[in-house]
Amino acid sequence: GWWSKEGQEYKRQGGWTEPRFWDDSRFNHDTQPVVGVSWAEANAYCAWLTEHLRDQGLISGGQAARLPTQAEWDLAARSTDGRVYPWGPAFDAACANTRESRLQQTTPVWMYPDGQTPEGIWDMAGNVWEWTSDVNKNGWAWLIGGSWWNDAKNLGAAARDDNNPRYWNDDRGLRVVVVPVSRLGPVLISGF
């Protein structure tokens, strides 16, 4: 019931029952971001999460969990000062899981405390590309932030990639926002 019609078709065609890499020990620790999810799966998760949070009394019926827009994500990563990287103007390998880290996999969220934004938001560059709710004119969804696979030149607050919404990989994940249904103004609650 949480899947869109298009997402249901993707799920059926792909035979998806869980995120890929779910049983891969490099990617399935409790504090690591979930990877191997398509845009359709990320949206289905947000629909499920909305219902779950409402049932638990953690959000009201006037709020919903969803993927952030590029603009919302960008504001959280860059703030109003337009930072190049979420932590500041210059790349620092100690601030994010990137190709320079040579780990070749995701890392636990909060492993790079110096990489958080001044506002306290973690992992907005590197570790995993994050799906956004935005779709381009060709129907491809936008990812933002870069991943452990990318080097310093290809990640950060301005890093973007559009991709087929059916696509999934070990460097793709999601971040969830909770938004009042009646107005804009998200609150970032979690990064996966």
Side-chain angles (χ1 to χ4, degrees):
W2 300 295
W3 289 81
S4 68
K5 283 187 176 191
E6 185 176 60
Q8 287 174 357
E9 182 60 22
Y10 295 163
K11 181 181 178 196
R12 186 189 64 72
Q13 288 175 1
W16 301 336
T17 58
E18 63 189 22
R20 273 63 61 206
F21 309 104
W22 198 247
D23 294 324
D24 187 324
S25 63
R26 295 179 308 145
F27 300 105
N28 69 352
H29 297 280
D30 289 344
T31 58
Q32 283 178 280
V34 172
V35 296
V37 293
S38 67
W39 185 77
E41 289 169 290
N43 280 295
Y45 172 76
C46 289
W48 170 85
L49 184 61
T50 295
E51 186 174 312
H52 177 74
L53 292 174
R54 287 177 180 166
D55 288 348
Q56 298 297 311
L58 298 173
I59 65 172
S60 73
Q63 296 174 303
R66 65 165 170 75
L67 298 175
T69 65
Q70 288 184 82
E72 291 164 346
W73 195 100
D74 195 63
L75 181 61
R78 297 167 67 116
S79 191
T80 57
D81 62 8
R83 302 182 279 269
V84 175
Y85 296 97
W87 54 84
F91 178 75
D92 182 344
C95 290
N97 179 12
T98 66
R99 182 173 289 210
E100 288 81 3
S101 303
R102 296 190 176 104
L103 299 173
Q104 300 182 341
Q105 68 179 57
T106 62
T107 53
V109 176
W110 306 297
M111 186 168 165
Y112 292 89
D114 293 336
Q116 66 182 304
T117 69
E119 297 79 18
I121 305 171
W122 297 77
D123 283 358
M124 302 274 314
N127 216 13
V128 297
W129 282 101
E130 297 177 1
W131 290 109
T132 69
S133 61
D134 294 335
V135 177
N136 69 19
K137 64 183 179 183
N138 298 320
W140 284 29
W142 286 99
L143 294 134
I144 199 163
S147 78
W148 57 268
W149 179 252
N150 299 103
D151 61 21
K153 296 180 296 192
N154 297 302
L155 64 89
R160 303 282 193 281
D161 185 25
D162 61 339
N163 222 296
N164 188 316
R166 296 180 186 198
Y167 183 74
W168 51 269
N169 204 340
D170 60 6
D171 68 344
R172 305 290 194 256
L174 64 137
R175 185 173 298 265
V176 176
V177 295
V178 172
V179 180
V181 173
S182 63
R183 65 177 176 83
L184 296 178
V187 178
L188 286 167
I189 62 166
S190 187
F192 297 95

